[in-house]
Structure formats: C-alpha cells, structure tokens
Amino acid sequence: MAGEQLQVLNALDVAKTQWYHFTAIIIAGMGFFTDAYDLFCISLVTKLLGRIYYHVDGMEKPGSLPPNVSAAVNGVAFCGTLAGQLFFGWLGDKLGRKKVYGMTLMLMVICSVAS
C-alpha cells in the first residue's frame, strides 16, 4: 500500500506542468478565498451591527455590540463553517466532489445575490 502511494507521488513529481495543474490551483485558491472570506470579514460585520443597532443618538462614539452578542455572532460564524465543511465533505463523498462543488458554488452565488 505504501509503495503504491509513493509511486503516485513520484508520478506527480515528474509530471510536466499542464493546464489541469493551473485549473486545480485556481479551484483550490477560490475555495480557500470563499471559505476564509466570511471568517475574515465577520469582525467588520460585528462593528457594523454595533453601529447600526446599538447606536445611541447624541453620543460622540459610534455604538458597539455588547460582548455576549459579539461572541454569539462570531461563534455562529465558526460553528456554521465547521458544520458546512463536515456536511458538504460528507455529501462530496456520497455524490462526487465535482457535483457537490458545483452545488456549493451555485448556493454561494444565490445567497450572495439574495443578501
């Protein structure tokens, strides 16, 4: 078993760079970007939520979320990421990665337009 894996890795090492290498890099990069984007922007979202919903008229400083609400928003974002990775990973094993990648891409486009 280990010998077969080493042969596969060796074949990848000696393969010449072809178009599918670039395609795999772009797909992996876009997957990382879309997965990490929501985790990186959640801190900005919490600041905006505080300024919109917790602003008191007449105060010089903009509003901010209470610590428990901020922790809840961040926690839900991270738990949703974990649940999504587990569910769509399992679904990819059952239905095929290519099909599930297309489904998640369409889901992200629809939700982006809807928001």
Side-chain angles (χ1 to χ4, degrees):
M1 179 82 174
E4 293 174 9
Q5 290 177 346
L6 288 176
Q7 289 175 351
V8 170
L9 293 175
N10 188 31
L12 289 172
D13 285 340
V14 298
K16 293 184 179 181
T17 304
Q18 296 179 3
W19 181 250
Y20 69 88
H21 289 103
F22 295 110
T23 304
I25 290 169
I26 290 170
I27 289 172
M30 290 306 294
F32 174 75
F33 173 75
T34 55
D35 186 41
Y37 178 74
D38 60 342
L39 298 178
F40 291 143
C41 75
I42 196 68
S43 63
L44 298 174
V45 169
T46 56
K47 286 189 184 287
L48 291 174
L49 288 174
R51 289 179 183 210
I52 293 171
Y53 295 111
Y54 290 91
H55 178 71
V56 177
D57 290 334
M59 296 291 291
E60 291 182 16
K61 292 182 131 185
S64 63
L65 284 178
N68 59 344
V69 176
S70 179
V73 170
N74 288 323
V76 167
F78 286 118
C79 290
T81 298
L82 176 64
Q85 288 176 354
L86 292 174
F87 174 72
F88 285 108
W90 172 81
L91 199 61
D93 289 340
K94 296 294 179 192
L95 300 177
R97 301 240 177 238
K98 197 175 207 179
K99 186 174 185 178
V100 172
Y101 183 74
M103 289 171 30
T104 57
L105 184 62
M106 290 304 298
L107 181 67
M108 287 177 5
V109 167
I110 290 169
C111 290
S112 295
V113 170
S115 69

